[in-house]
Amino acid sequence: MTRSRQLRLGAFMRPVSLHTGAWRYPGSYPDANFNFAHIKSFAQKLEAAKFDAFFMADHLAVLNMPVEALKRSHTVTSFEPFTLLSALAAVTERIGLAATASTTFDEPYHVARRFASLDHISNGRAAWNIVTTSNPDAALNFGLDEHVEHGERYKRAREFYDVVTGLWDSFADNAFIRDRESGIYFDPEKMHVLNHKGDELSVRGPLNIARPVQGWPVIVQAGQSDPGRQLAAETAEVVFCSPRDLDGGKALYADIKGRMQAIGRNPDHLKMLPAAFVVIGDSIEEARTKRLSLDSLVHYDSAIASLSIALGHDASAFDPDAALPKDIPETNASKTGRAQVIKLAQEENLTVRQLAQRYGGYSGLAFVGTPRSIADEMERWLDEEGSDGFNVVFPYLPQGLDDVTTRLVPELQRRGIFRNEYEGMTLREHLGLPRPKNRFFSD
Ligand SMILES: Cc1cc2nc3c(=O)[nH]c(=O)nc-3n(C[C@H](O)[C@H](O)[C@H](O)COP(=O)(O)O)c2cc1C
């Protein structure tokens, strides 16, 4: 039986796993993050499992960490999202294709064109993850000496969104008449020149691409700060977020959907998809063992640095194979971080080494268990409005992805909370989102 509230599932695919040890896990592809044949097969498997979207994060610099840690990271060589998603559009038919583009380091005309093209090439499957770019090193790759200030980045982002969506509306949906008889290709009455001149941006238009198949590609937002949440409430149709637990998920869900209501938007027109790390075993114990074994592949030096950051206290002098000392002083830097570390150490009975490797591997929201126990947790998030679905982070590939597509998805389908077949052709149709009206033309 199909239930009225349905899970939406995205796959977090750049990098193909966010876990630092993923490429070293026995049986995994060490080059999974940078091998087109592998990525093509992942996208096709996700589509066969009816995933809503394949999502590519993007960072305009290598991760800002010391080279001693960077040399162990499989993220250091990743595909550029548009090139990869265009190639994937040609070898898939239904799965949504979400790319990240920065409003700080890109230009709205470029961004509008690339997404419009991807939406046409994929027959209506494109989504734009709007980011303002948090990595300060990106500035150094774009002619700046330091990063643009946070408030300033969000001010530009808001105006950038107006310009991009305005450019997508440059032509009415029926502007292209291509009348051989008269020799008229398009009706000039159905072309709008934007002529945007704002505080941050100046763009004449029109866009040199027909209106996207979806009207506008689906708008995604991943900022978590107050201005980030406000931008999401005003513009986003999907939010990628990273609450640590169900209470955090519920608070964020209520906050963003509440902000939407306050400005007259329908909260159903936005899907909250927290990132969720999923490790599946035949028993909960086996899944936990898999995770510990994956975590153990994180080098101790980088692991201990991550733990120190989380604690707000240098952990390098602690005995790696003992429990966390009881008398770690509280600092102003990270009260919540410290409390979370202590809670995790107690709950899972972890040594300092295991804790450090957890923080150095992947420390966000995780579902570790059997297909049934994980489906129970996902169902609870859905029922209690912690989220509308998840952006799944795989622990290692291909096995971790295969476990999700062949073991977890059938369990979700059996419970009637995930589709057996795509509802339509476009990503908007999969997500149940309306097609935006053209702001300049009525048809
Ligand atoms: C699930 C998720 C995915 C994200 N993907 C990207 C990304 O691809 N590129 C990027 O620059 N930032 C990415 N971010 C970071 C956010 O855009 C944002 O900078 C961060 O959440 C901090 O919020 P703030 O910028 O509102 O302070 C992501 C965040 C989350 C939670």
Side-chain angles (χ1 to χ4, degrees):
M1 200 188 63
T2 303
R3 296 241 306 267
S4 62
R5 265 173 71 71
Q6 291 283 297
L7 273 179
R8 317 288 169 178
L9 292 181
F12 200 122
M13 296 302 286
R14 182 188 188 273
V16 291
S17 171
L18 288 175
H19 197 289
T20 319
W23 64 274
R24 299 179 67 201
Y25 195 75
S28 70
Y29 302 143
D31 63 346
N33 194 45
F34 200 62
N35 176 315
F36 182 65
H38 289 331
I39 293 180
K40 175 177 155 189
S41 84
F42 302 151
Q44 291 174 336
K45 287 175 182 179
L46 291 164
E47 181 168 75
K50 320 297 177 203
F51 262 62
D52 289 86
F54 181 107
F55 163 61
M56 294 205 66
D58 196 30
H59 299 277
L60 298 168
V62 296
L63 293 178
N64 55 337
M65 53 171 69
V67 76
E68 277 306 305
L70 190 65
K71 75 180 185 190
R72 303 180 190 284
S73 171
H74 68 155
T75 63
V76 81
T77 173
S78 293
F79 288 113
E80 185 284 315
F82 284 87
T83 342
L84 182 68
L85 292 183
S86 305
L88 291 179
V91 294
T92 55
E93 287 177 355
R94 295 290 188 90
I95 192 165
L97 303 167
T100 297
S102 170
T103 52
T104 303
F105 299 109
D106 217 324
E107 289 293 330
Y109 202 83
H110 282 319
V111 168
R113 292 182 78 211
R114 289 200 298 262
F115 280 101
S117 275
L118 184 63
D119 204 54
H120 283 286
I121 289 170
S122 65
N123 286 318
R125 295 187 280 140
W128 171 26
N129 178 32
I130 301 182
V131 299
T132 61
T133 301
S134 48
N135 182 348
D137 288 356
L140 308 180
N141 292 334
F142 292 87
L144 300 176
D145 295 329
E146 57 184 42
H147 203 6
V148 182
E149 189 269 319
H150 191 269
E152 176 62 23
R153 298 207 300 273
Y154 272 103
K155 184 161 177 268
R156 178 176 157 103
R158 187 63 185 79
E159 189 177 330
F160 199 112
Y161 163 86
D162 285 338
V163 175
V164 169
T165 52
L167 287 170
W168 284 332
D169 286 345
S170 291
F171 292 96
D173 287 314
N174 60 0
F176 292 86
I177 47 182
R178 300 186 181 96
D179 184 2
R180 282 198 170 107
E181 198 73 7
S182 63
I184 305 292
Y185 196 80
F186 77 95
D187 177 353
E189 297 285 308
K190 298 198 167 169
M191 180 182 85
H192 179 85
V193 181
L194 191 64
N195 276 322
H196 176 88
K197 280 204 194 327
D199 289 348
E200 307 280 328
L201 301 160
S202 165
V203 180
R204 190 192 66 175
L207 196 67
N208 53 359
I209 297 186
R211 192 161 193 256
V213 175
Q214 297 183 97
W216 304 349
V218 173
I219 303 293
V220 186
Q221 221 288 121
Q224 311 276 285
S225 60
D226 187 68
R229 291 174 186 211
Q230 192 56 29
L231 180 67
E234 289 172 20
T235 67
E237 298 171 291
V238 172
V239 165
F240 289 154
C241 49
S242 47
R244 303 189 73 87
D245 54 26
L246 181 54
D247 284 342
K250 283 182 185 151
L252 191 61
Y253 192 97
D255 179 51
I256 292 186
K257 299 226 175 184
R259 289 176 194 239
M260 287 177 82
Q261 269 166 323
I263 56 168
R265 279 188 75 202
N266 179 344
D268 287 343
H269 293 171
L270 183 150
K271 308 296 170 193
M272 297 284 296
L273 304 186
F277 184 71
V278 175
V279 185
I280 298 176
D282 291 336
S283 63
I284 293 179
E285 210 31 58
E286 194 209 24
R288 288 195 178 139
T289 307
K290 281 185 180 180
R291 185 184 201 189
L292 280 173
S293 132
L294 175 63
D295 286 350
S296 75
L297 300 171
V298 179
H299 194 273
Y300 191 65
D301 290 351
S302 17
I304 202 72
S306 305
L307 180 62
S308 302
I309 293 169
L311 268 176
H313 180 88
D314 181 10
S316 59
F318 298 166
D319 175 357
D321 297 308
L324 198 66
K326 294 226 176 323
D327 51 356
I328 303 167
E330 231 182 71
T331 64
N332 237 351
S334 188
K335 281 199 172 79
T336 11
R338 178 181 171 278
Q340 273 162 355
V341 176
I342 294 170
K343 185 162 166 261
L344 176 64
Q346 283 167 351
E347 272 172 8
E348 296 194 28
N349 200 17
L350 301 176
T351 61
V352 168
R353 184 187 306 279
Q354 289 169 326
L355 261 180
Q357 285 168 329
R358 176 69 52 84
Y359 278 89
Y362 185 81
S363 61
L365 174 68
F367 296 132
V368 181
T370 63
R372 286 181 67 171
S373 75
I374 295 173
D376 285 344
E377 289 185 273
M378 290 187 159
E379 202 170 342
R380 189 155 169 227
W381 275 71
L382 188 66
D383 288 344
E384 297 188 16
E385 299 198 331
S387 76
D388 298 302
F390 297 94
N391 208 12
V392 177
V393 177
F394 300 103
Y396 33 74
L397 297 101
Q399 315 94 307
L401 183 146
D402 291 344
D403 285 343
V404 169
T405 56
T406 64
R407 300 178 67 188
L408 176 60
V409 166
E411 178 62 29
L412 298 170
Q413 289 168 329
R414 198 181 60 72
R415 296 173 183 220
I417 54 172
F418 189 62
R419 67 170 69 81
N420 289 298
E421 200 35 81
Y422 286 110
E423 295 78 5
M425 294 304 290
T426 68
L427 178 56
R428 284 188 177 279
E429 286 164 345
H430 306 340
L431 294 170
L433 297 169
R435 187 176 189 274
K437 291 196 187 339
N438 191 314
R439 76 177 69 149
F440 308 117
F441 302 99
S442 55
D443 57 358

